[in-house]
Amino acid sequence: MVVGEVAESTDLLVIGGGPGGYAAALHAARHGTEVTLIEREALGGVCLNVGCIPSKSLIHAAALVSSSGSTDTGVELSATWSWDRIRAGIDDVVDGLTTGVAGLLAAAGVTVVDGTARFSRPNRVAVVAGDDVKHLEFRRCILATGSRAIHLPTIPQDDPRVVDSTGALGLKELPGSLVVIGGGYIGVELGTAYAKLGCNVTILELADRLLPEVEKRASQLVSRRLKALGATVITGSAATDLDDAGVVVDGHGAIPADVVVVAVGRRPNTDDLGLDVAGVALDDGGLVVVGPDRLATPSIAAIGDITPGPALAHKATAEAEVAVAALHGDTHAAFDPAAIPGVIFSDPEIAQVGLTPSRAAASGLEVQSFRFPFTAGSRSKTIGATDGFVELVADTGGTVVGGVLAGHGVSELVGEIALAIELAATVEDVAATIRPHPTFSEAITEAALGLDGRPLHVRR
Ligand code: FAD
């Protein structure tokens, strides 16, 4: 300790103001606890500022632009748009939501401190903001510092053409050509949006197909659509260099690129926090080792992208309440969801929850599934969105254990299957639930009927 160093104190310290951290601060304030939240960049974290929200706004704008030529309904549309106006629209959405978070925190009495926190003692952090250093002592603490993009050693990060997902969401000009390295969900979402805005897009993926994390049938729909949009998809190849001609790809030469988006994964922000001082252990991947209650030590919890499990905003938010409960003495607090849905806002959208057929096969579990195609659905026909399906998965006893969905708006449907899994509903329960007609949700009924041996709008 520096002689004369004076520390302010707080009861609960939250480090990181993303969907994990700000939700934790709000829950803790509800307990009547005095809370201080430290954020080094912007309230709302990656999700609101440079992740979920701007990317989905961009995807929506790009979808509007690309649907302008649709003649499916006999209606011809033409879009008037400019990149500057789309960017301004995205900024407005982000500003609205982050201002909302700041307002909620203020109303809850949470003290927000700007700066970067680092542990200097087991119960103390130094918070650096410019030349200013502040010391804060806490009784309990929640770590919610999130993650950052991984860089590729073969692609020089300081080349002005190279950006990560954050850079790709903040481009000042629309590029003529854009190469996305990484065909996971972030790369596919960004690549699709820019292809729809008229850029010449190439997506490179090391695995033998795009979106290797989802069922093959679903990822094939996305590849097909990308090709129809004029994008090039190269799989099974690595980017080995970036030269004047573009991104050098094994077996494909140099692919021209005004912008190169590196989207090959993310790593947890745990390496520069002084966690050893606090007695917080990390696993080999740099994730915080936590118990089911999210406690890393008796007084420090960790949530969100820095803990094991899918790096998704809703997982961070759900863990927040558990961590707060554990730090307030609830010995039953546990993060134990039956399933966490994951959505890819590709075209068409893909959503998976619980056990998918291939996850079950990989775990040696016996499941049964039935896939209802949107080509047989009525609502899908009325809006000309027949690409996709709902596949419901059940265990051998008939309890719903998972789902795979692809198609228009399935991001809004998957929650229904998550609820069924959480409530241990049977296939019969799901089939007996009456859904409105004509809607995409009827596909869930149809898949359940099929799984129950009573298919209705598809042949046996
Ligand atoms: P973060 O949101 O990363 O917040 C952590 C915060 O901690 C940051 O604001 C950071 O500045 C701050 N911080 C870090 N270290 C310190 C420190 N030492 N001191 C002070 N502050 C610090 N997820 C979804 O569920 N749906 C999506 O559609 C989706 N789309 C995405 C699209 C993109 C392009 C990206 C990059 C991510 C996307 N994600 C999506 C993932 C989602 O953004 C993350 O899972 C989520 O933000 C994790 O929340 P978090 O609270 O753990 O961390």
Side-chain angles (χ1 to χ4, degrees):
M1 178 175 105
V2 178
V3 177
E5 171 188 298
V6 180
E8 291 173 27
S9 68
T10 187
D11 185 339
L12 181 80
L13 181 72
V14 179
I15 307 180
Y22 83 70
L26 291 174
H27 284 303
R30 202 169 27 81
H31 282 262
T33 301
E34 185 228 341
V35 185
T36 302
L37 183 151
I38 307 174
E39 171 53 56
R40 68 179 176 192
E41 283 175 33
L43 284 177
V46 167
C47 181
L48 269 66
N49 293 283
V50 292
C52 330
I53 298 306
S55 63
K56 269 79 249 183
S57 295
L58 172 66
I59 287 164
H60 177 63
L64 289 176
V65 168
S66 77
S67 69
S68 59
S70 164
T71 54
D72 291 352
T73 54
V75 179
E76 289 281 355
L77 299 171
S78 68
T80 307
W81 62 281
S82 76
W83 179 232
D84 283 349
R85 279 168 49 200
I86 288 179
R87 288 184 52 223
I90 295 171
D91 288 349
D92 280 351
V93 173
V94 169
D95 283 353
L97 288 171
T98 52
T99 305
V101 168
L104 286 172
L105 291 169
V110 173
T111 304
V112 176
V113 175
D114 294 337
T116 301
R118 192 183 158 85
F119 284 86
S120 52
R121 290 190 196 177
N123 67 336
R124 183 183 286 203
V125 293
V127 184
V128 179
D131 293 337
D132 249 32
V133 184
K134 183 184 253 199
H135 301 273
L136 267 172
E137 224 161 59
F138 59 84
R139 192 158 81 85
R140 10 186 196 186
C141 173
I142 296 180
L143 305 169
T145 49
S147 61
R148 62 184 186 275
I150 291 175
H151 301 292
L152 270 180
T154 52
I155 302 296
Q157 213 183 306
D158 54 358
D159 187 297
R161 291 168 291 179
V162 177
V163 293
D164 58 16
S165 61
T166 300
L169 287 164
L171 296 176
K172 298 277 177 279
E173 285 173 14
L174 259 190
S177 57
L178 180 131
V179 172
V180 181
I181 305 178
Y185 87 93
I186 292 178
V188 165
E189 289 185 358
L190 292 170
T192 306
Y194 281 108
K196 288 183 175 180
L197 292 172
C199 303
N200 186 3
V201 169
T202 303
I203 303 182
L204 303 175
E205 168 56 44
L206 197 57
D208 63 356
R209 64 182 171 95
L210 281 187
L211 301 171
E213 69 275 25
V214 305
E215 294 289 308
K216 192 169 183 175
R217 188 179 294 271
S219 72
Q220 280 169 338
L221 291 174
V222 172
S223 297
R224 214 164 62 205
R225 176 73 177 127
L226 274 165
K227 285 172 193 162
L229 287 167
T232 305
V233 175
I234 300 176
T235 55
S237 302
T240 54
D241 198 4
L242 175 64
D243 64 20
D244 291 346
V247 178
V248 180
V249 181
D250 265 351
H252 294 268
I255 300 170
D258 295 333
V259 168
V260 180
V261 183
V262 179
V264 292
R266 298 181 64 80
R267 72 157 51 110
N269 291 326
T270 51
D271 41 357
D272 203 21
L273 278 170
L275 290 179
D276 47 336
V277 176
V280 171
L282 301 179
D283 69 13
D284 290 345
L287 295 169
V288 177
V289 177
V290 288
D293 51 11
R294 307 291 97 175
L295 292 184
T297 75
S299 59
I300 301 178
I303 58 175
D305 284 9
I306 58 170
T307 58
L312 294 169
H314 41 286
K315 180 236 180 200
T317 304
E319 286 175 300
E321 191 164 16
V322 173
V324 168
L327 287 174
H328 284 79
D330 179 351
T331 51
H332 299 294
F335 183 67
D336 187 21
I340 302 174
V343 170
I344 300 171
F345 292 81
S346 44
D347 185 0
E349 291 179 355
I350 297 175
Q352 298 194 143
V353 59
L355 274 184
T356 65
S358 51
R359 283 177 191 161
S363 316
L365 294 168
E366 205 183 323
V367 293
Q368 37 178 339
S369 74
F370 189 92
R371 192 171 47 248
F372 180 79
F374 285 134
T375 44
S378 50
R379 182 61 179 144
S380 42
K381 286 248 166 60
T382 64
I383 67 162
T386 51
D387 258 1
F389 58 85
V390 169
E391 182 167 13
L392 197 63
V393 184
D395 65 17
T396 47
T399 300
V400 176
V401 292
V404 183
L405 303 86
H408 174 85
V410 295
S411 51
E412 300 293 345
L413 284 190
V414 68
E416 198 181 317
I417 301 181
L419 180 68
I421 298 171
E422 200 64 52
L423 300 181
T426 62
V427 169
E428 218 173 310
D429 295 330
V430 175
T433 304
I434 299 176
R435 299 180 177 80
H437 175 76
T439 63
F440 278 82
S441 68
E442 288 172 297
I444 297 177
T445 312
E446 295 278 355
L449 284 171
L451 200 43
D452 208 30
R454 307 178 269 144
L456 185 60
H457 287 101
V458 277
R459 292 193 192 125
R460 221 173 248 272

